């Protein structure tokens, strides 16, 4: 069994991999919920607000770019 990391940087990288694997809008909606849950976890654990907002904003940017990529793919087909 693999050892699971609880370091926020590792979790952020994992969420980015999840986002990168998204191929539909439904999958990106699920990834957005994953981001929200991650932010809630950081708030519960009293992570510095600067770190919380930086990570959250970055992940929301990544998911927005993924949505744009999916939209462009559908427009081309």
């Amino acid at each position: 069994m693999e050892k699971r990391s609880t370091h926020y940087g590792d979790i952020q990288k994992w969420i980015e991999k999840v986002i990168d694997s998204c191929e539909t809008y439904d999958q990106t909606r699920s990834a957005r919920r994953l981001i929200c849950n991650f932010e809630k976890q950081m708030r519960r654990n009293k992570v510095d607000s600067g770190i919380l907002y930086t990570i959250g904003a970055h992940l929301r940017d990544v998911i927005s770019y993924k949505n744009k990529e999916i939209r462009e793919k559908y427009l081309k087909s």
Side-chain angles (χ1 to χ4, degrees), residues 40-56:
K40 286 178 188 176
Q41 177 191 26
M42 287 192 291
R43 279 189 206 100
R44 276 194 306 269
N45 291 328
K46 297 181 172 91
V47 171
D48 180 76
S49 62
I51 294 171
L52 189 152
Y53 294 126
T54 301
I55 291 174

Side-chain angles (χ1 to χ4, degrees), residues 25-75:
Y25 287 120
D26 287 339
Q27 291 172 338
T28 59
R29 260 194 304 276
S30 295
R32 282 189 188 277
R33 286 193 296 269
L34 184 62
I35 293 167
C36 289
N37 288 338
F38 181 45
E39 289 176 323
K40 286 178 188 176
Q41 177 191 26
M42 287 192 291
R43 279 189 206 100
R44 276 194 306 269
N45 291 328
K46 297 181 172 91
V47 171
D48 180 76
S49 62
I51 294 171
L52 189 152
Y53 294 126
T54 301
I55 291 174
H58 170 72
L59 291 172
R60 285 190 296 279
D61 285 346
V62 172
I63 196 78
S64 293
Y65 288 124
K66 188 60 166 183
N67 274 330
K68 181 181 176 190
E69 181 183 307
I70 291 170
R71 181 175 56 247
E72 288 174 355
K73 178 181 142 188
Y74 284 137
L75 290 174

Side-chain angles (χ1 to χ4, degrees), residues 13-22 27 30-31 34 66:
K13 288 177 188 175
W14 176 74
I15 293 173
E16 288 173 2
K17 287 180 185 179
V18 170
I19 293 168
D20 190 49
S21 71
C22 292
Q27 291 172 338
S30 295
L34 184 62
K66 188 60 166 183

